[in-house]
């Protein structure tokens, strides 16, 4: 197997196997000759299976999206700016609240997990800027619609401009724009030039952007 797969297999295993009571020699053999990384533990003569539970918990932490997002959001405040409480807002809010509930259910010993919502809501740029300025604890993230206005600047442009002028660095928060794909290239250039982290038109790209903001240091997403 190893000779067929080439040199890259020396760096990256082709599979993992959870199996008890394997020696370091066993593990080295499987890694070298089969490309399999053994995850093993000592059962103390067949009575201790806590090692399996620990491995399964770690796998859940890394692969369950609800758990991962819940862990990232456990002590975060997000301000959502949307003039109409759109269905897109509701979809994302529901997902992130479910994620927080999933993490709270699993992390029973984590005292930082609360039952309160991580979302706060503003219906206009004026409300959003006022909320940021008045808040004694800075927001961790602002998500706003692009927000075309009949008169004046779009909602997102007003917020991003305020971040550069009226709001202090200590109160400032990263901004993600979540809106329709209409005239996307022009709008994206505009908001990125003003300091937005991203212009997202799908829930998938929005969640990826949120994860980039809150991922632990050293973890790439």
């Amino acid at each position: 197997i190893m000779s067929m797969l080439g040199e890259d297999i020396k760096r990256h295993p082709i599979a993992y196997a959870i199996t008890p009571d394997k020696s370091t020699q066993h593990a080295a053999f499987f890694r070298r000759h089969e490309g399999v990384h053994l995850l093993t533990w000592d059962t103390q003569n067949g009575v201790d299976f806590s090692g399996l539970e620990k491995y399964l918990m770690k796998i859940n932490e890394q692969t369950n999206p609800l758990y991962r997002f819940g862990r990232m959001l456990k002590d975060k405040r997000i301000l959502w700016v949307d003039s109409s409480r759109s269905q897109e807002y509701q979809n994302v809010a529901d997902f992130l609240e479910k994620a927080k509930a999933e993490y709270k259910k699993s992390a029973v010993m984590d005292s930082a997990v609360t039952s309160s919502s991580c979302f706060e809501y503003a219906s206009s740029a004026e409300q959003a800027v006022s909320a940021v300025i008045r808040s004694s604890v800075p927001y961790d993230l602002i998500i706003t619609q692009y927000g075309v206005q009949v008169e004046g600047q779009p909602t997102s442009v007003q917020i991003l401009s305020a971040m550069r002028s009226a709001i202090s660095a200590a109160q400032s928060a990263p901004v993600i724009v979540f809106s329709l794909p209409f005239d996307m290239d022009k709008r994206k250039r505009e908001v990125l030039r003003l300091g937005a982290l991203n212009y997202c038109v799908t829930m998938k790209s929005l969640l990826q952007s949120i994860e980039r903001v809150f991922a632990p240091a050293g973890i790439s997403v």
Side-chain angles (χ1 to χ4, degrees):
I1 292 177
M2 298 298 288
S3 61
M4 291 170 61
L5 292 174
E7 287 295 316
D8 191 57
I9 198 61
K10 294 180 180 178
R11 296 191 299 274
H12 305 291
I14 59 173
Y16 293 85
I18 303 177
T19 181
D21 299 321
K22 299 302 179 186
S23 66
T24 54
Q25 290 81 8
H26 268 105
F29 176 88
F30 275 90
R31 184 68 179 86
R32 184 178 302 113
H33 297 287
E34 303 296 337
V36 176
H37 185 96
L38 296 187
L39 303 173
T40 189
W41 77 100
D42 184 356
T43 64
Q44 305 294 324
N45 295 319
V47 297
D48 181 3
F49 289 89
S50 62
L52 176 61
E53 294 177 2
K54 291 177 182 177
Y55 281 127
L56 293 178
M57 184 174 293
K58 288 295 182 183
I59 291 171
N60 180 63
E61 290 175 7
Q62 295 299 318
T63 60
N64 181 342
L66 287 175
Y67 183 94
R68 283 173 38 241
F69 270 92
R71 179 177 55 187
M72 286 189 292
L73 295 173
K74 68 177 184 180
D75 54 357
K76 301 296 189 292
R77 296 176 69 215
I78 298 174
L79 179 63
W80 187 288
V81 189
D82 186 336
S83 60
S84 60
R85 286 187 184 262
S86 63
Q87 186 60 49
E88 289 79 7
Y89 159 82
Q90 198 60 54
N91 290 343
V92 176
D94 287 349
F95 173 84
L96 295 181
E97 293 301 342
K98 287 177 182 176
K100 189 171 182 181
E102 175 75 11
Y103 181 74
K104 184 182 179 184
K105 179 177 67 177
S106 302
V108 293
M109 299 302 292
D110 193 335
S111 59
V113 183
T114 66
S115 58
S116 60
S117 171
C118 63
F119 268 121
E120 296 180 34
Y121 181 81
S123 61
S124 67
E126 185 177 56
Q127 278 189 13
V129 172
S130 176
V132 171
I133 292 174
R134 288 186 290 104
S135 179
S136 58
V137 179
Y139 288 95
D140 297 289
L141 177 64
I142 297 171
I143 303 173
T144 178
Q145 61 181 172
Y146 180 76
V148 175
Q149 303 294 321
V150 176
E151 295 181 2
Q153 295 178 317
T155 301
S156 55
V157 173
Q158 293 180 55
I159 293 171
L160 289 163
S161 298
M163 288 291 171
R164 296 159 64 100
S165 58
I167 295 174
S168 69
Q171 294 172 306
S172 185
V175 177
I176 297 173
V177 180
F178 182 45
S179 201
L180 298 172
F182 176 77
D183 209 8
M184 177 180 166
D185 290 341
K186 178 182 177 182
R187 292 180 175 186
K188 185 172 184 177
R189 285 195 300 271
E190 179 182 27
V191 298
L192 292 182
R193 179 176 55 81
L194 290 171
L197 291 180
N198 202 1
Y199 183 98
C200 304
V201 297
T202 66
M203 183 169 172
K204 178 180 178 181
S205 65
L206 175 62
L207 293 176
Q208 288 173 336
S209 296
I210 294 173
E211 191 167 12
R212 291 190 186 98
V213 173
F214 295 136
I219 302 297
S220 59
V221 296

